[in-house]
Amino acid sequence: MATLTPFHIAFPVDDLPAARAFYGELLGCEEGRSSDHWIDFSLFGHQIVAHYKPKAEGETGPHHNPVDGHDVPVPHFGVVLEMPEWEALAEKLKAANVKFVIEPYIRFKGQVGEQATMFFFDPAGNALEFKAFADMSQIFAK
């Protein structure tokens, strides 16, 4: 597989200190530049930016789509990790009592594209998915 270049994503948060604690302390993301209105983080080498945006009155949570018997929150973002990294992150999140939308499990067991996955929300309600493939060469397999 070719070397990937880092992606960039900016997303809204309604509490910058909570975002700093969640991404920086819990997920272990190195903090980059910041201001009173945004914080750059390195999420496994990818640039993610938490931008302060107060919640609008009546704002609702994410939409969900059915996938493999689960209601997957949309939109969501995350990183595909190597299996040992994914397992360590899952254990760290469980130990921190993170509430999962979809508990860590193996999807498509024994099939093409077998993968470990887990979904959870950050403090602002942004959905994250972290996954790992049994065989990384099958990341785009049909």
Side-chain angles (χ1 to χ4, degrees):
M1 182 181 286
T3 301
L4 294 176
T5 56
F7 70 80
H8 164 85
I9 187 170
F11 54 96
V13 299
D14 59 351
D15 184 332
L16 284 174
R20 181 171 273 126
F22 182 82
Y23 290 95
E25 295 170 24
L26 179 60
L27 294 183
C29 298
E30 182 179 338
E31 187 173 323
R33 295 175 305 243
S34 66
S35 79
D36 292 341
H37 301 285
W38 53 268
I39 306 169
D40 281 351
F41 293 102
S42 172
L43 180 68
F44 295 93
H46 299 283
Q47 185 190 47
I48 64 170
V49 186
H51 283 268
Y52 177 70
K53 178 190 173 286
K55 280 204 187 293
E57 188 173 322
E59 192 171 322
T60 62
H63 174 74
H64 288 80
N65 280 340
V67 177
D68 193 33
H70 295 277
D71 287 328
V72 171
V74 177
H76 64 261
F77 68 92
V79 177
V80 177
L81 304 172
E82 296 289 338
M83 193 62 75
E85 286 179 297
W86 182 90
E87 291 168 339
L89 179 59
E91 289 306 314
K92 180 178 184 178
L93 295 172
K94 287 177 188 177
N97 295 315
V98 167
K99 181 181 176 196
F100 291 95
V101 177
I102 299 174
E103 294 278 338
Y105 81 106
I106 304 298
R107 176 190 288 169
F108 312 128
K109 186 110 175 123
Q111 301 175 42
V112 172
E114 178 179 322
Q115 60 193 264
T117 187
M118 61 181 145
F119 286 82
F120 52 94
F121 292 110
D122 75 4
N126 296 297
L128 290 92
E129 175 187 21
F130 285 83
K131 59 172 65 178
F133 284 80
D135 178 351
M136 287 294 278
S137 71
Q138 294 186 354
I139 191 169
F140 296 108
K142 296 181 182 181

